[in-house]
Amino acid sequence: MKAIVVTDEAAGTAGMTLMERPDPEPALNDVVVQVHASGFVPTELAWPSTWTDRLGRDRTPSIPGHELAGVVSALGYGTTGLSVGQRVFGLTDWTRDGTLAECVAVEARNLAPLPGDVDFAVGASLPISGLTAWQGLFEHGRLRTGQSVLVHGAAGAVGSMVTQLAREFGAYVIGTGRAADRQTALDFGAHEFVDLGSEALEDVGGVDLVFDVIGGDIGKRSARLIRAGGTLVSVVGPSEARPADGLAIDFVVMPDRAQLDEIVQRVRGGRLRTNIGNVADLDDAVAALNPTKRVTGKTIIRARS
């Protein structure tokens, strides 16, 4: 099969290569999926799991990408709940070869059925962004109706999902980002927008929940905005500052079939829009994943038409 591989951590996305790799074999409780579309997060190439297995051993050449939508082509021993020919989408294991390929082996429990009226590209754009937003807001942030939420990167792939879900659940949403992102964030449902380049973050006043995808100085300043009993949720590692009278939680997104179904049903019903910035074929993936200009939204790679 054709796949994108990486062998040099220092080279980053510039070190990606399209090459032939052996077809994957399903392990116990796995399925093999013919990948139709795959999502990619550039920070994957800074994750230790991209380069080493669970025992710390080098596993290069690695196939990156952990979001997929496709069709089940084979079942591993003991696999239940899915069938050959079924449309699926989901999130693959961090320490195994990923989805920037024509096929991938993945644990069946990490996948959910993809309804026939949802495009594969849309399905592939949902797992990391959607699950990160869902888990950060509801599991870790314990969002309640009427609370205020500060969403950093509100025009991005994750931030736009956070903005929409928070608004659906009755929160007052303040988005942040660059000046050029203002209208996009407002279109996704933010009530207000703060241009981090020219406007004072502190002017938003106190909030109940901060969803941080930036970290650093922005994360530290955000901690001071948390009201008593509020929460700073981070997906970029432990916060350098903690709220004076609240919680600071960092987390790594986890696969969850039930949550994937909640997310895709909202997409089908028009309550949730995905944020795709660019779509390219697998043959053109290296160039697409090394853009010469800023892309807002997720880049999707199609392995099949």
Side-chain angles (χ1 to χ4, degrees):
M1 68 174 183
K2 287 191 289 188
I4 299 294
V5 301
V6 291
T7 57
D8 182 356
E9 184 172 0
T13 55
M16 289 178 160
T17 305
L18 179 66
M19 62 185 298
E20 288 289 330
R21 294 292 295 159
D23 290 343
E25 295 291 335
L28 186 70
N29 296 322
D30 274 356
V31 297
V32 173
V33 178
Q34 290 184 340
V35 178
H36 282 248
S38 170
F40 175 73
V41 179
T43 55
E44 285 181 29
L45 300 190
W47 303 345
S49 55
T50 298
W51 308 100
T52 59
D53 65 15
R54 295 185 188 279
L55 298 178
R57 300 172 299 196
D58 177 74
R59 70 177 190 87
T60 58
S62 305
I63 301 173
H66 294 285
E67 299 172 281
L68 83 154
V71 176
V72 175
S73 60
L75 305 179
Y77 182 79
T79 299
T80 59
L82 297 175
S83 57
V84 172
Q86 186 170 8
R87 300 171 96 249
V88 294
F89 75 119
L91 187 62
T92 67
D93 191 284
W94 308 125
T95 57
R96 297 175 66 179
D97 278 342
T99 61
L100 290 177
E102 293 180 313
C103 295
V104 64
V106 54
E107 287 187 78
R109 64 179 180 174
N110 292 356
L111 302 173
L114 181 68
D117 57 355
V118 178
D119 183 78
F120 286 116
V122 171
S125 73
L126 296 174
I128 287 181
S129 299
L131 290 174
T132 298
W134 190 279
Q135 292 168 18
L137 286 172
F138 306 129
E139 290 187 3
H140 304 293
R142 306 183 310 283
L143 180 68
R144 299 191 303 275
T145 300
Q147 290 188 321
S148 55
V149 181
L150 180 65
V151 182
H152 290 308
V158 172
S160 60
M161 289 282 183
V162 176
T163 296
Q164 292 174 87
L165 288 172
R167 178 143 183 171
E168 179 191 347
F169 278 79
Y172 186 84
V173 182
I174 305 164
T176 80
R178 305 184 187 192
D181 298 332
R182 182 184 300 272
Q183 192 57 52
T184 300
L186 294 174
D187 288 345
F188 275 112
H191 294 89
E192 297 181 32
F193 183 83
V194 178
D195 171 9
L196 294 177
S198 65
E199 298 173 343
L201 179 62
E202 289 71 19
D203 286 350
V204 306
V207 296
D208 299 296
L209 174 64
V210 171
F211 202 115
D212 185 20
V213 300
I214 299 175
D217 180 62
I218 294 297
K220 288 190 287 186
R221 291 163 61 192
S222 298
R224 296 193 288 269
L225 303 177
I226 300 291
R227 293 180 179 135
T231 307
L232 170 62
V233 174
S234 170
V235 295
V236 289
S239 175
E240 296 179 38
R242 304 183 67 84
D245 189 14
L247 298 175
I249 297 172
D250 67 284
F251 75 101
V252 175
V253 64
M254 299 294 290
D256 190 296
R257 181 179 289 178
Q259 292 173 6
L260 285 171
D261 189 61
E262 289 274 7
I263 291 161
V264 79
Q265 294 306 326
R266 282 172 168 76
V267 172
R268 296 182 75 200
R271 291 179 288 163
L272 188 64
R273 289 188 293 126
T274 189
N275 190 357
I276 297 174
N278 186 30
V279 179
D281 292 335
L282 186 61
D283 287 344
D284 302 317
V286 173
L289 297 173
N290 286 275
T292 56
K293 61 181 180 179
R294 181 173 179 246
V295 176
T296 299
K298 184 174 291 292
T299 294
I300 298 297
I301 303 302
R302 285 192 180 274
R304 287 173 173 78
S305 58

